[in-house]
Amino acid sequence: MTEYRIEHDSLGEIEVPADALYGANSLRAKNNFAITNHPMDAKLIDAIVEVKKACAIENEKIGLLKTDKKDAIVSACNSILAGQHRDNFIVDPIQGGAGTSFNMNANEVIANVANTALGGGLGTYEIIHPNDHVNLGQSTNDVIPTSGKVALIRYFANLVDETNLLIRSLEKKAEEFKDVYKMGRTQLQDAIPISLGQEFRAYARVISRDVERFDLALKDLRHVNLGGTAIGTGLNADQQYVDEVVDVLSEVTGLDLRQNEDLIDGTQNLDGFLFVSGVLKTFATNLSKISNDLRLMSSGPQSGINDIRLKPTQAGSSIMPGKVNPVIPEVVNQVAFNVIGNDVTVNMAVEAGQLELNAFEPIIFYNLFESLRTLTNAIHTLRLNCIDHITVDREALAEEVERSIGLVTALAPHIGYEKSSDIAHKALDTGKSIRELVMEADILSEPELEKILDFKEMIKPGILDEEALRGE
């Protein structure tokens, strides 16, 4: 049978498992917020523990916390950062109260670990108190947003690394396919020739712009409101602590963090998180568009577009033997849809803030963390299981270009729009190629036609002058 100890808080007494490192506030929150039944995010736990560690160091430095208490708190924080006691973080990621429950959970676990190290008992807090010592100079309202930003910065580091690998893969394919000619399409109809390398180069470019946007998001995330306490005025915090604590946190985390210039603004307004979400939504949209292209270009393979061949990764049907589906681009599409939905949630949560505080940071972090994790994982599998293994049939693509009426566009500057249009219609009616019809009509000489319909020249701008327009 489970043994219990009696703890009390402002609501009265409550039974807490005797060996638990959490306390009354954590347990009440666990009972109140059985929402996702997911564990608290590991990076967010690390971040809040680092905040507590930094605050203890600064409070001891300015004489508000005795050295033995500081050492016990720091030691407790280090043990959690090393992977111990994680199962005592019991509150749900989605919770009411602006994250107070998570902050109290961290305070109680750290206090109990520190308290017992100094000879105290679990849940007694006679030596180290969760609020008076671990939470000294702090409020949920500066601890939670600061912790969330630290966690987000670390998630972005993983995303940036994977995105740069994806860009390199796309650029490698662009070089590999630079002389693979195919029909470009607009509105899903044949347009004019393009090289497959040019298409992949464009994919690399758009993803590169996303990395630039990541840098802007990270710049915003590095500004934290730690020191502002409840509403940004710094009540119950020493001025020296307010001035120095973010520098200490930078040392503890190894991150380049800055304090908000206006702590009231930094506490009230969460537009930075909305910007981060928008950057992730843009990235997801770009990935989804590329995935759409990959699915379309690989369609068939015999009765579809079949511009590219994707690596077979698994059976595609329980009833159709041999069928293989573009499952990797499909999963990237689905991740993108979810990220776009998460952005709507973040948007609503940021807008819902009132007066001096936004109470909805838990759902903001829950969705942003999910977006960052799933995007990182999605582009990892996109690169390894799709992009890196794309192959083509060069000859088949070249023959397709040769048969396309899209070639007629290159003739228009030389023989005029009307004649070019007539030839295009005849090609559709007869099934003959543009080249055949021009030769039959004796409109241009064979050398002129060869020069005009050279695929290598058709995929880049040329020099049009009077002689060129006469085919000379």
Side-chain angles (χ1 to χ4, degrees):
M1 293 179 63
T2 302
E3 295 184 357
Y4 293 93
R5 65 178 187 259
I6 302 298
E7 284 201 30
H8 70 275
D9 59 10
S10 60
L11 298 182
E13 293 185 343
I14 185 172
E15 289 185 335
V16 177
D19 60 352
L21 295 175
Y22 55 83
N25 291 283
S26 303
L27 187 58
R28 290 193 196 278
K30 183 179 186 299
N31 295 335
N32 287 336
F33 307 125
I35 306 300
T36 67
N37 294 317
H38 293 168
M40 184 60 68
D41 184 273
K43 282 185 171 57
L44 189 58
I45 292 175
D46 285 343
I48 198 170
V49 170
E50 287 172 319
V51 168
K52 299 299 175 181
K53 178 179 175 179
C55 292
I57 292 170
E58 177 61 24
N59 280 318
E60 189 265 349
K61 176 185 174 183
I62 63 175
L64 295 181
L65 193 64
K66 291 183 178 179
T67 300
D68 62 336
K69 295 181 187 295
K70 182 269 293 185
D71 289 343
I73 291 172
V74 168
S75 178
C77 291
N78 288 340
S79 68
I80 297 168
L81 293 171
Q84 299 178 45
H85 319 308
R86 311 289 281 209
D87 56 344
N88 282 272
F89 287 83
I90 60 171
V91 300
D92 197 277
I94 298 180
Q95 55 190 259
T100 296
S101 298
F102 177 47
N103 186 35
M104 296 292 273
N105 194 176
N107 290 335
E108 289 175 346
V109 172
I110 294 168
N112 273 311
V113 174
N115 209 43
T116 54
L118 293 177
L122 289 176
T124 60
Y125 311 124
E126 70 273 22
I127 305 174
I128 303 289
H129 192 277
N131 300 85
D132 294 338
H133 301 121
V134 181
N135 199 62
L136 179 60
Q138 304 150 58
S139 163
T140 291
N141 304 340
D142 62 346
V143 165
I144 293 297
T146 297
S147 303
K149 287 184 175 183
V150 169
L152 285 169
I153 289 169
R154 289 178 172 147
Y155 270 118
F156 261 107
N158 297 336
L159 181 63
V160 169
D161 288 344
E162 279 295 339
T163 306
N164 283 326
L165 290 173
L166 175 62
I167 291 168
R168 284 200 283 274
S169 287
L170 291 169
E171 289 175 339
K172 184 178 179 180
K173 284 298 173 182
E175 182 64 23
E176 179 184 346
F177 297 148
K178 66 182 179 181
D179 57 352
V180 175
Y181 305 105
K182 52 159 283 186
M183 286 307 298
R185 297 177 180 87
T186 59
Q187 294 157 278
L188 297 180
Q189 307 300 304
D190 288 355
I192 57 176
I194 190 172
S195 81
L196 190 60
Q198 288 174 313
E199 290 184 314
F200 275 83
R201 186 77 64 192
Y203 298 151
R205 291 287 182 268
V206 70
I207 300 301
S208 295
R209 288 198 298 278
D210 285 309
V211 173
E212 293 172 2
R213 296 185 188 101
F214 295 164
D215 289 340
L216 293 175
L218 283 164
K219 181 179 178 181
D220 206 40
L221 288 174
R222 295 186 191 283
H223 290 81
V224 300
N225 71 327
L226 189 63
T229 68
I231 62 172
T233 60
L235 179 66
N236 289 356
D238 183 88
Q239 183 62 57
Q240 185 179 349
Y241 165 94
V242 174
D243 293 341
E244 298 176 354
V245 69
V246 174
D247 289 337
V248 178
L249 182 60
S250 292
E251 294 176 12
V252 169
T253 60
L255 302 175
D256 180 20
L257 302 173
R258 313 289 175 85
Q259 193 175 61
N260 288 113
E261 291 183 12
D262 185 326
L263 290 173
I264 295 175
D265 167 45
T267 305
Q268 282 187 5
N269 301 311
L270 305 187
D271 51 297
F273 295 129
L274 184 57
F275 180 72
V276 169
S277 185
V279 166
L280 296 178
K281 179 182 71 172
T282 301
F283 181 46
T285 301
N286 290 334
L287 288 171
S288 192
K289 191 274 179 185
I290 292 170
S291 297
N292 293 340
D293 287 358
L294 297 176
R295 291 190 296 112
L296 277 171
M297 288 194 292
S298 66
S299 63
Q302 289 152 320
S303 60
I305 294 176
N306 197 28
D307 283 352
I308 61 174
R309 296 172 180 170
L310 303 184
K311 173 187 174 183
T313 56
Q314 61 187 62
S317 173
S318 62
I319 189 174
M320 294 173 280
K323 189 173 188 292
V324 177
N325 297 326
V327 294
I328 303 302
E330 286 174 351
V331 78
V332 175
N333 283 130
Q334 291 174 80
V335 168
F337 304 157
N338 192 57
V339 170
I340 293 166
N342 286 346
D343 178 67
V344 174
T345 299
V346 172
N347 197 329
M348 294 180 69
V350 169
E351 183 276 334
Q354 297 168 320
L355 303 176
E356 275 63 63
L357 181 69
N358 188 309
F360 305 111
E361 285 168 338
I363 193 67
I364 291 173
F365 294 138
Y366 184 80
N367 281 272
L368 288 178
F369 295 159
E370 181 183 62
S371 292
L372 282 156
R373 281 195 305 267
T374 55
L375 282 169
T376 301
N377 294 336
I379 61 177
H380 180 79
T381 193
L382 178 65
R383 173 175 59 87
L384 291 181
N385 294 314
C386 183
I387 301 297
D388 287 349
H389 300 280
I390 291 174
T391 59
V392 297
D393 186 334
R394 295 168 179 259
E395 290 73 22
L397 287 176
E399 290 175 9
E400 188 176 76
V401 175
E402 184 65 36
R403 293 194 307 270
S404 175
I405 67 167
L407 292 180
V408 77
T409 302
L411 294 173
H414 304 278
I415 65 175
Y417 186 92
E418 295 297 332
K419 284 184 180 180
S420 298
S421 181
D422 289 342
I423 290 172
H425 287 296
K426 286 178 182 177
L428 285 173
D429 293 340
T430 65
K432 293 183 178 181
S433 71
I434 298 297
R435 191 182 301 269
E436 287 178 297
L437 291 172
V438 173
M439 292 301 296
E440 286 178 4
D442 197 25
I443 299 173
L444 294 169
S445 68
E446 186 171 354
E448 291 171 337
L449 191 59
E450 287 296 327
K451 181 178 179 181
I452 295 168
L453 299 185
D454 182 350
F455 298 162
K456 295 185 184 68
E457 299 301 320
M458 294 177 71
I459 64 169
K460 62 184 181 181
I463 298 174
L464 291 180
D465 55 26
E466 198 170 339
E467 288 184 356
L469 294 176
R470 291 198 304 268
E472 296 176 3

